[in-house]
Amino acid sequence: MFTSLGVISCYARNRVRRFLVASRARMASSTGLLHSATPPRVPTKHEKCYDPHDPTLKFVDKEDDLDFLYEGFKSLRAQMSCGHAVTPTSLTNWCRRLLDQGESRFVCGGYGCSAEWTFSEVWKMALLTPQETEHFRKKMAVNAALQTLITKSCPVCRSTLTRENGSDLNVLCKKCTAVKGQPFEFCWQCLREWKGARPRKDRCGNDGCCNHSLKTLKTCPNISFDSVKGVHGCPSVRACPTCGLLLEHNKRHCKSLVCPRCKVKFCFVCLKIFTKCMKTSGPYAACSSGVAPRQTSIPVWKKK
């Protein structure tokens, strides 16, 4: 029996869409590109459309390569520099998703594509509003700052390196070592060629090498909470007890913070994991164990 596509039930169409989404996800997963098939969590409420008379855009008659939820945006499709077709709303959703995942660069989400777009291209093709532009710029800056805590560039060859031992400031650059024919080591802290004994976790032998994070923890003023009663002598800056990121409490609301780097919620006063603190205290009450002393070392993030 022949059935026209025009009369397929809504139920059947939804089943087809779910099948297509699942198929694309399985295909991407098998090729290591699962990120390109990850849809935004919620459907779009407001749609943006291209001006059909914009001579700077290259319009194409293709499917929207970034419409992972099959929302069917009404805008014309325009071609990105990598060749994939987008609408301003699907591009905005995808780039926002990247930022929410901690990225500071915009990489195409099309299947099999790893092209990187400039912010100026994203700004133009996504028709970013002034509010979206400000949000994107701030989020990019924050994400880039967090990434510099994990990776740094060799002071000689500028290659990106990650410390194998988070408790040792001495880092070996394999690229420079191969070029020079002898080990080249530099300090993770001051980014100068290594001097002195190794391993060291506080400083190298170079003049002026110091841990500014530890200095901040030592010299920052105390905080007075607006809503938490009975807390005195709490430093205004703490290193996350899980990953070591320095955080400052805004004095408002409860005494907990969620670290933007490791996503762990902890008590700013006693430095315990928040659920553990809540067993003997309340979110707006003094901790039973008192105020944790100023930290004299930076916790090293041990990812599981």
Side-chain angles (χ1 to χ4, degrees), residues 172-173 177 180-185 193:
L172 174 71
C173 177
T177 297
K180 295 175 180 292
Q182 60 183 11
F184 176 75
E185 301 168 327
E193 187 171 359

Side-chain angles (χ1 to χ4, degrees), residues 154-165:
C154 169
V156 175
C157 69
R158 311 309 299 174
S159 58
T160 301
L161 300 174
T162 302
R163 274 197 297 179
E164 295 180 359
N165 182 357

Side-chain angles (χ1 to χ4, degrees), residues 10-289:
C10 178
Y11 170 76
R13 284 198 300 271
N14 288 336
R15 290 190 63 186
V16 170
R17 286 185 177 183
R18 286 195 294 270
F19 171 78
L20 291 173
V21 171
S23 298
R24 184 180 289 190
R26 286 194 298 270
M27 185 182 300
S29 177
S30 65
T31 57
L33 293 165
L34 184 58
H35 74 279
S36 66
T38 305
R41 295 180 180 177
V42 294
T44 304
K45 294 181 180 179
H46 304 289
E47 181 180 353
K48 297 177 285 187
C49 293
Y50 290 127
D51 178 359
H53 302 295
D54 188 341
T56 65
L57 300 178
K58 181 179 179 180
F59 296 112
V60 292
D61 185 17
K62 296 181 180 179
E63 288 188 6
D64 186 345
D65 291 310
L66 299 184
D67 184 13
F68 298 118
L69 283 183
Y70 293 90
E71 296 184 71
F73 300 119
K74 299 177 181 179
S75 174
L76 294 173
R77 277 63 169 148
Q79 185 171 289
M80 298 291 290
S81 57
C82 62
H84 280 99
V86 302
T87 58
T89 307
S90 68
L91 179 59
T92 301
N93 289 347
W94 171 249
C95 291
R96 190 186 299 274
R97 179 75 171 181
L98 291 176
L99 293 175
D100 289 343
Q101 291 176 341
E103 299 292 337
S104 60
R105 301 175 300 121
F106 299 112
V107 179
C108 179
Y111 176 69
C113 184
S114 58
E116 182 177 340
W117 304 315
T118 63
F119 178 74
S120 59
E121 180 179 10
V122 170
W123 176 82
K124 173 186 176 182
M125 301 297 289
L127 302 181
L128 293 183
T129 65
Q131 294 78 14
E132 290 172 333
T133 301
E134 182 180 6
H135 172 74
F136 274 41
R137 288 189 182 279
K138 287 183 178 179
K139 195 72 174 177
M140 289 170 63
V142 170
N143 291 349
L146 292 177
Q147 289 168 359
T148 60
L149 297 173
I150 304 172
T151 62
K152 290 189 178 181
S153 298
C154 169
V156 175
C157 69
R158 311 309 299 174
S159 58
T160 301
L161 300 174
T162 302
R163 274 197 297 179
E164 295 180 359
N165 182 357
S167 299
D168 186 8
L169 292 174
N170 178 267
V171 179
L172 174 71
C173 177
K174 296 180 180 179
K175 185 176 181 179
C176 286
T177 297
V179 172
K180 295 175 180 292
Q182 60 183 11
F184 176 75
E185 301 168 327
F186 68 93
C187 176
W188 184 264
Q189 189 162 263
C190 68
L191 296 179
R192 288 179 284 179
E193 187 171 359
W194 185 266
K195 287 185 179 181
R198 67 185 70 81
R200 289 286 295 272
K201 64 179 181 179
D202 54 347
R203 57 166 296 170
C204 70
N206 284 300
D207 292 337
C209 181
C210 69
N211 191 319
H212 294 285
S213 295
L214 286 178
K215 185 177 180 180
T216 298
L217 292 174
K218 182 179 179 180
T219 60
C220 69
N222 290 335
I223 188 175
S224 296
F225 292 94
D226 293 340
S227 303
V228 183
K229 306 302 180 182
V231 175
H232 306 284
C234 179
S236 59
V237 178
R238 294 289 207 181
C240 171
T242 298
C243 71
L245 179 67
L246 261 60
L247 300 170
E248 185 176 15
H249 201 290
N250 62 9
K251 301 190 295 184
R252 299 190 297 272
H253 309 301
C254 76
K255 59 187 180 182
S256 70
L257 281 182
V258 177
C259 176
R261 184 184 181 192
C262 64
K263 312 302 181 185
V264 175
K265 187 176 184 180
F266 69 96
C267 175
F268 199 81
V269 177
C270 68
L271 296 181
K272 296 178 182 178
I273 299 300
F274 194 63
T275 53
K276 185 175 181 180
C277 174
M278 288 300 96
K279 292 180 179 179
T280 56
S281 178
Y284 296 93
C287 302
S288 60
S289 57

